[in-house]
Amino acid sequence: MNVDLANAWTRPGNPFTCENIDNQIIPGVQQLLAACRRNNHPVVHVTTCYQVADREDPHTDMGLWHCKIPVEAVPENRPELWAIDSRIEPIDGEQLLVKKRASAFHGTYLAGFLRAAGVDTILVTGVTASACVRETICDGLAEGFRTIAVEECIGDRIPGAVAWNLFDIDAKFGDVEKVERCVSYLDEVGSKVAAA
């Protein structure tokens, strides 16, 4: 599951741009996607955008989140911002889930989709470690999934935030694993399913 690896977070000059995108996160996610695709594992790409991005409009779908962060930076009418980065964009058969809150589970169909697909373990990549990735991992565990944070594939805008959040996630909410080990796991599980 790739959380918020959309242009507003991955391309330079945007309000949410995170560090280590080009040299670490995108290459790691590309490796994971290749393993998922060759083994027919479900892939979910998650992004965030809002239909009513006016903070003063009482009908905004931003809730009160706009009081803390500049969520008007990803309005629905600017798909070039909330579109998944073209280097890791979805292919046919992969889910594109639009969320309104930090967690990819909150108010979405994600848990039901994963259960119907027979998923019991989720590999989580994306940004930011201190918000959407962390909330998704916490809610994934609460929904009964084994959660794995893929170490090299998680970023943030704030120096030090990734290291601290991965430490805390590993202590309480999931496992933190290297991308290489996750790729091996995806291939191993895929070969067992193919043999069955």
Side-chain angles (χ1 to χ4, degrees):
M1 175 181 328
N2 301 317
V3 178
D4 286 334
L5 290 176
N7 294 323
W9 290 267
T10 63
R11 300 296 183 167
N14 290 313
F16 301 127
T17 302
C18 293
E19 56 186 14
N20 298 322
I21 293 291
D22 296 330
N23 62 337
Q24 181 180 314
I25 296 170
I26 294 294
V29 171
Q30 288 170 329
Q31 291 177 54
L32 289 170
L33 284 174
C36 285
R37 290 167 179 169
R38 73 175 162 260
N39 290 293
N40 200 30
H41 296 302
V43 175
V44 179
H45 301 265
V46 181
T47 190
T48 306
C49 77
Y50 297 94
Q51 294 170 332
V52 182
D54 178 357
R55 292 173 185 252
E56 304 305 318
D57 189 323
H59 303 114
T60 181
D61 52 337
M62 295 187 294
L64 295 176
W65 204 5
H66 68 77
C67 296
K68 299 302 269 183
I69 61 170
V71 290
E72 73 275 8
V74 283
E76 186 178 58
N77 65 357
R78 299 274 316 273
E80 70 277 9
L81 293 173
W82 55 266
I84 301 300
D85 189 300
S86 61
R87 297 170 288 179
I88 55 167
E89 67 188 351
I91 61 171
D92 286 345
E94 294 178 351
Q95 293 290 305
L96 174 61
L97 184 146
V98 176
K99 65 182 177 65
K100 306 292 182 177
R101 303 294 179 262
S103 171
F105 287 94
H106 185 88
T108 73
Y109 63 89
L110 181 58
F113 168 77
L114 293 173
R115 285 191 190 100
V119 171
D120 61 8
T121 302
I122 55 174
L123 304 178
V124 181
T125 69
V127 295
T128 62
S130 57
C132 298
V133 168
R134 182 185 181 89
E135 293 300 310
T136 296
I137 288 171
C138 291
D139 281 357
L141 179 68
E143 289 285 350
F145 298 99
R146 177 179 179 217
T147 56
I148 299 174
V150 186
E151 185 175 352
E152 303 93 329
C153 299
I154 294 174
D156 207 292
R157 297 182 306 277
I158 303 162
V162 174
W164 164 248
N165 279 283
L166 290 181
F167 170 81
D168 199 49
I169 286 166
D170 198 40
K172 302 173 189 166
F173 304 109
D175 297 317
V176 177
E177 298 289 350
K178 297 278 190 190
V179 69
E180 192 173 283
R181 182 150 188 223
C182 293
V183 167
S184 296
Y185 169 76
L186 290 167
D187 286 336
E188 180 184 334
V189 171
S191 65
K192 287 179 182 175
V193 171

